[in-house]
Amino acid sequence: MAIENITQSPGSPGWVGLNVSAAPPWREGGTAAYDPGIGGVLLFGGSQQAGPALYATWEFVNNTWTEVCSGNSSAPTCPQSPSPRYWPAMAYDSSSSQLVLFGGVVDLLGMYGLNDTWIFANGGWSELNGSPAPPLDTSNGGLYGMVDDPGLGGLLLFSPVSGTWRFSNDSWTNLTRPSGPKGFGGMFYDNGTHSVILWSGSSGQTWAFASGNWTRLAAADTPAAYYAISSVYVPAFDYGLVLGLNGSNATWMYSNGTWSNVTTELGPPPPDSPGLRPVFAYDPTLAGTLGLGWEFVSSNTSGRIESQTMLLVDPLRVAISVSQNVRDLGESVAFQASVAGGRVPYATRLSGAPAPCGWPANLSPNAFLNCTLETTGSFGLNVSVVDANHSMVYAVLPLAVYPHLSASVTGGPNPADAGRNISLDGTIQGGAPPVVENWTVSTGANGSEVGQEYDNLSLSFPASGHYWANLTVTDATGAVSAVDTPIVVFSPVAVRAAVNFTQTEVGLPVGFNASASGGDAPVALTWGFGDGTFASTGNVSHTYAAPGNYAATAWANDSAGGSAEQTVEVRVAAALQVTAAANVTQALADQPIAFRATVNGGLGPYSYFWNFGDAATSVLSAPLYTFPTVGNHSVSVEVYDALGVGRSSTVTVDVVASTGPLSNATASPAVPLWVYAVAAGSAAILLAVGATAMVVRKRRS
């Protein structure tokens, strides 16, 4: 948006006398208009105090009057010229870029009117023929109003009798409507309302013409109902003036639909001596309203009438505007400084723009600057102006330039497992405050702050996939910085734990196996065996050093920070121990001997295998056996537990002949009761009461 800071001079508008030479002789009933073709004001016609009407055509350009066509003799110097007349209507037609003159009267009483049309171009006049012209108006004293109407595409002409007409493309068109003004006093085009404003003079009414129709306005405090001599519009300040009401020097201003008497503020216009009425025209090259008036100067011996050229100078004003007074580094900015009012030429000084922006040397009357900002900081854009009347004004406008706006996003985890919370942190640098942040995320996210104006965002995703989060920041200048963060979500990591034996014994290796699924690879597997030892692998063999019940745990940890665990129970028994014993260490031949295996540790049930050293065996835990031969016999037993672990032990028994003495024949307290049965031949059957043991010895051959 444009921002202005305007400082006015303490002075007020008013009339300033111009020191010119060779001014037109005094006259009344002439007309004047600004002609861009000559870059000044053109003056035509009029008469010197009841004398004959004049041919005179004068130009006021560069502060100098020049007579283009002589009107003081009966032989004009121009090849063609409008005939002598009073009060013709004259205006510049912007649609055709030419100055147009219409009508007027031949006598001051307005009894003999004219309705011819003339064009002034290239320093001379030419009459326009062939187009039906508005009818004569003698009842209104031959007064017409004619102004340039851009909305109409040509000139608008009005008189109470002739009606409303448009001049465009060198032809006239009747626009008269049943209702409209009934009198004429002054008329001008109002840029502010894009309409022609007419003050009706004798009726004291205010009318507006737009879109092809007249509308009466309820304007308050209108000028008194009387004839006006001239009216002008001041486009630099959007107001119209009705000057020199007949019989007075009053000046009225029309602005924003309101009339106000500004005679006191402006001072009287060029003198209006009795019967001598001034002529006015707005001259943009002078930034003011040019007035050509007359003054009766008397002395002790004689009196004379002198012409005066005066300029209505508006207050000197300067304005500075900028497209935005808060910007970011690297952005462009447009400045405009303008000066209006006062009296040209202007002396200007412009400063304070940040490098590399540089103001032009002078305002004439506008200066434009568009540049890219390369320096941060606070600046004061300053414009000061001094006009030809030595009035001075200045304007200062602040400008703040901030570093580039940028945004970044950190946080995580990313990638992450489904269901796991993800925290994203937004960081903002530079930019003109306030800076607004806004997050948007993929469909499927769970998070209470999604789409809100927070620096940080917390969310999770219930399913695996590829997602995104966007942080967009906007600063006070409208600059935008956006960051897209891709988010990868995996299925939750899971682990499966297994052992080859859930029961074991001290000293025996156990195989542990762990496998993972899901998660973000690589996935690390770890075993904790419950005895204070660990292994960083999924497949491992472990041996427990002490019996007990152990909880072995497998952990899976993925790269996204997800983890899972599973526990297996392992029962560890003491190591298997076996001791073989016999009820005697010496026995007679054919004497039954009781053997026994004592087992400690291991996991039952147990299985036994006795070997008596003579091809006889037994699978009983406590067998009876009779050796058929004498001698030292080594008897061994092998015991296997439920895990298949085996241990062995050996005992030696000395067998002697039945007729010899026994050196050690005393039975141990645990000797069972023996019952002997001898069968024919060489076979023997041994029965052990209580042990239920049977040993079948091989036949002798």
Side-chain angles (χ1 to χ4, degrees):
M1 58 182 177
I3 300 173
E4 287 192 353
N5 183 339
I6 301 176
T7 303
Q8 295 187 12
S9 66
S12 60
W15 290 96
V16 177
L18 300 182
N19 185 16
V20 298
S21 59
W26 66 270
R27 71 194 60 204
E28 63 174 335
T31 186
Y34 178 74
D35 182 0
I38 65 173
V41 172
L42 193 75
L43 171 69
F44 177 81
S47 172
Q48 289 186 337
Q49 201 171 22
L54 301 175
Y55 289 86
T57 301
W58 288 76
E59 293 178 349
F60 186 76
V61 179
N62 296 326
N63 221 38
T64 301
W65 284 105
T66 303
E67 186 177 20
V68 179
C69 298
S70 174
N72 294 324
S73 67
S74 59
T77 57
C78 290
Q80 293 189 74
S81 177
S83 60
R85 64 192 70 195
Y86 304 89
W87 313 121
M90 188 165 65
Y92 182 77
D93 181 6
S94 61
S95 67
S96 60
S97 302
Q98 58 188 5
L99 193 71
V100 180
L101 181 143
F102 175 80
V105 293
V106 176
D107 63 321
L108 285 175
L109 297 177
M111 299 301 294
Y112 302 100
L114 300 169
N115 67 339
D116 50 349
T117 304
W118 288 80
I119 306 297
F120 185 84
N122 300 318
W125 290 101
S126 60
E127 185 175 7
L128 182 65
N129 297 308
S131 172
L136 294 173
D137 182 359
T138 57
S139 64
N140 193 46
L143 294 179
Y144 297 88
M146 187 167 69
V147 296
D148 185 35
D149 185 349
L152 193 62
L155 300 177
L156 180 73
L157 181 137
F158 172 80
S159 81
V161 175
S162 301
T164 304
W165 291 74
R166 177 181 65 189
F167 181 80
S168 178
N169 297 321
D170 290 345
S171 63
W172 290 99
T173 303
N174 191 348
L175 302 180
T176 302
R177 299 291 184 266
S179 61
K182 303 304 180 184
F184 175 77
M187 192 165 73
F188 53 84
Y189 182 79
D190 183 6
N191 286 339
T193 60
H194 304 290
S195 61
V196 173
I197 303 299
L198 181 144
W199 177 66
S200 63
S202 59
S203 68
Q205 298 175 355
T206 304
W207 292 76
F209 183 86
S211 302
N213 292 291
W214 287 103
T215 302
R216 183 178 176 182
L217 302 180
D221 299 327
T222 60
Y226 215 79
Y227 290 107
I229 299 306
S230 187
S231 58
V232 295
Y233 183 75
V234 184
F237 297 97
D238 288 332
Y239 65 77
L241 294 175
V242 175
L243 304 106
L245 295 179
N246 194 26
S248 75
N249 285 333
T251 301
W252 285 74
M253 177 186 293
Y254 180 85
S255 179
N256 298 320
T258 301
W259 287 101
S260 56
N261 190 331
V262 293
T263 307
T264 302
E265 290 84 345
L266 300 183
D272 180 13
S273 297
L276 305 178
R277 302 164 187 173
V279 177
F280 302 94
Y282 181 77
D283 187 346
T285 65
L286 298 175
T289 299
L290 185 69
L292 184 61
W294 332 107
E295 183 178 13
F296 183 80
V297 179
S298 63
S299 65
N300 293 332
T301 58
S302 62
R304 68 184 186 276
I305 299 175
E306 295 181 352
S307 66
Q308 292 186 343
T309 303
M310 304 186 74
L311 185 68
L312 176 60
V313 179
D314 287 289
L316 180 62
R317 302 182 188 183
V318 64
I320 183 172
S321 64
V322 63
S323 55
Q324 284 187 314
N325 70 336
V326 177
R327 300 299 284 162
D328 292 340
L329 192 68
E331 292 182 330
S332 63
V333 64
F335 305 99
Q336 179 179 358
S338 60
V339 61
R343 184 180 173 190
V344 295
Y346 304 123
T348 61
R349 182 177 181 271
L350 304 100
S351 61
C357 306
W359 285 106
N362 283 292
L363 294 175
S364 57
N366 297 295
F368 299 92
L369 174 62
N370 196 322
C371 70
T372 300
L373 299 169
E374 299 180 4
T375 307
T376 60
S378 297
F379 306 91
L381 309 177
N382 182 283
V383 178
S384 60
V385 180
V386 178
D387 72 354
N389 290 332
H390 305 291
S391 296
M392 185 184 75
V393 293
Y394 68 91
V396 179
L397 180 66
L399 172 66
V401 183
Y402 290 86
H404 293 289
L405 175 66
S406 65
S408 60
V409 175
T410 59
N414 185 18
D417 293 341
R420 187 174 185 193
N421 186 67
I422 302 170
S423 295
L424 299 179
D425 300 327
T427 301
I428 302 168
Q429 293 182 328
V435 179
V436 178
E437 312 94 40
N438 190 66
W439 288 94
T440 55
V441 298
S442 303
T443 303
N446 296 321
S448 60
E449 297 178 358
V450 173
Q452 304 299 313
E453 297 178 1
Y454 295 99
D455 291 339
N456 304 324
L457 180 68
S458 179
L459 72 165
S460 64
F461 295 88
S464 61
H466 291 267
Y467 302 90
W468 52 264
N470 172 273
L471 173 62
T472 299
V473 296
T474 306
D475 73 357
T477 72
V480 176
S481 179
V483 181
D484 283 317
T485 302
I487 300 174
V488 179
V489 178
F490 294 94
S491 299
V493 64
V495 65
R496 179 182 178 277
V499 293
N500 58 349
F501 297 107
T502 58
Q503 297 185 93
T504 186
E505 62 183 66
V506 173
L508 293 182
V510 178
F512 292 83
N513 175 267
S515 60
S517 61
D520 180 21
V523 178
L525 295 170
T526 303
W527 274 103
F529 301 109
D531 59 357
T533 62
F534 299 87
S536 298
T537 183
N539 296 315
V540 65
S541 178
H542 181 68
T543 300
Y544 288 94
N549 293 323
Y550 296 91
T553 302
W555 289 278
N557 297 287
D558 70 0
S559 299
S563 64
E565 63 181 67
Q566 187 177 12
T567 299
V568 293
E569 299 291 335
V570 179
R571 178 186 175 192
V572 180
L576 179 65
Q577 296 179 345
V578 178
T579 302
N583 62 333
V584 295
T585 58
Q586 189 178 57
L588 298 174
D590 296 328
Q591 177 185 348
I593 302 172
F595 294 90
R596 182 180 68 242
T598 301
V599 179
N600 291 307
L603 294 174
Y606 306 98
S607 61
Y608 303 86
F609 182 80
W610 289 89
N611 188 340
F612 298 105
D614 58 357
T617 61
S618 175
V619 295
L620 300 178
S621 61
L624 293 175
Y625 185 68
T626 301
F627 289 94
T629 59
V630 297
N632 285 324
H633 296 275
S634 178
V635 179
S636 65
V637 62
E638 295 179 5
V639 178
Y640 295 89
D641 66 5
L643 299 176
V645 177
R647 296 287 186 271
S648 63
S649 180
T650 302
V651 62
T652 301
V653 178
D654 183 20
V655 179
V656 298
S658 57
T659 57
L662 294 176
S663 60
N664 184 16
T666 305
S668 67
V671 174
L673 179 63
W674 299 99
V675 178
Y676 297 91
V678 180
S682 58
I685 300 176
L686 287 78
L687 298 175
V689 178
T692 318
M694 177 181 294
V695 177
V696 180
R697 190 181 64 183
K698 289 184 179 180
R699 293 175 184 266
R700 294 180 180 176
S701 54

